[in-house]
Structure formats: C-alpha cells, structure tokens
Amino acid sequence: MPLPDEVVARLRELGVTVATAESITGGAVCSALVSVPGASAVVRGGIVAYTADMKARLLGVDPEVIREAGLVSDDVAEAMARGVRDATGATLGVGTTGVAGPEPHDGCSPGCVWVAVSGPAGEASTRLDLAGDRAAVRAGTVDAALALVLSSLAGDVTLL
C-alpha cells in the first residue's frame, strides 16, 4: 500500500491538490496525509460527515441518492468526493463510506466499504470487503483511499 509521503510527493510533482470527505475513517485519511512534512502545499482540508444529514448539508450529497443507493454505496462515496472538491476548491476529492462494525448498518455487513476519488474528468470508486475489527477495517480503508489517489495520479484512472 502507498505511504502518505508517496501520495504527497506525487501531488506536489503534478501541482495537484486534494481534500477528503470522510465518514468511516473519521478524518484518518486527511490525518495520514498531513502527517507528511510539507503537506500543506497540496492538502486543502477535510470534512468529516459521519451522518446522512451531514453528508447532505456539508458535502451537498443529494438526500435522494442516499435514499436510493444507501449510505454505503459507490454513488454516495463519489458524491462525497465531488462535494469536498466543490467545498474546498481542491483538484481531487476523496470520499470514504462504509461499515466498520461490529454491527451491520444500512443493510451492509461490517467491512463493506466504498472509497472514491473525484477529479475534473470524473470519478472512480472501488468497493472493499475488509476483514477484522473496527480498527483494521478503518486502517484498510485509509490504505485503499491512498492507493486510489495514487492510482489516479499515475493515470491508471482518468480523473485529471
């Protein structure tokens, strides 16, 4: 998995900024990025939107999308990523939503997670089915979010 310093270095090389919209990770993706010295050159900020109403209010996620797709879905993760781009002016937005457990939520089992990245050319998302306790699921989500950002920066996904 990519280390935050790899992601920050690549963002700097490309002159690209990033912001995070986090639910399941509670700010851990942004925290990982800002642990790197010099991250302020590329990290615009982060929004923790843990509930449906906060996703709608702070990130502009359409409540109808939440009702139709569910809180743990590619549509919501992508809308969160778009919303944080709009809110912060970042080039890329990252969205995380899922169930860390121990109980199921919104019809999804613990470990079901969606991460998304939004850029000027569109969105990419991926579903994860992670094993382990809350900490393991959250850590795996952070790693996957950083990997998806790095993949988008490498051109594996056309977002820029």
Side-chain angles (χ1 to χ4, degrees):
M1 286 295 158
L3 299 174
D5 59 332
E6 292 176 72
V7 176
V8 170
R10 189 68 178 135
L11 289 164
R12 287 182 75 128
E13 285 172 22
L14 296 173
V16 173
T17 59
V18 68
T20 64
E22 302 182 61
S23 183
I24 185 173
T25 46
V29 175
C30 192
S31 180
L33 291 168
V34 301
S35 72
V36 179
S40 61
V42 295
V43 177
R44 299 279 300 157
I47 296 173
V48 175
Y50 208 60
T51 62
D53 63 318
M54 290 295 99
K55 288 173 179 63
R57 185 178 306 158
L58 299 175
L59 298 169
V61 178
D62 185 341
E64 190 62 29
V65 170
I66 293 171
R67 276 191 293 280
E68 288 179 11
L71 283 170
V72 182
S73 65
D74 56 343
D75 290 339
V76 169
E78 290 174 5
M80 290 171 66
R82 273 192 310 275
V84 79
R85 280 185 61 233
D86 291 343
T88 65
T91 313
L92 295 176
V94 180
T96 66
T97 187
V99 182
E103 301 297 322
H105 180 69
D106 200 36
C108 296
S109 299
C112 177
V113 174
W114 281 93
V115 296
V117 176
S118 174
E123 287 82 38
S125 57
T126 189
R127 180 188 165 139
L128 310 168
D129 290 297
L130 300 169
D133 62 10
R134 283 181 65 80
V137 170
R138 293 178 73 235
T141 303
V142 171
D143 289 344
L146 294 175
L148 189 56
V149 171
L150 203 55
S151 177
S152 71
L153 294 172
D156 297 338
V157 180
T158 306
L159 301 178
L160 296 175

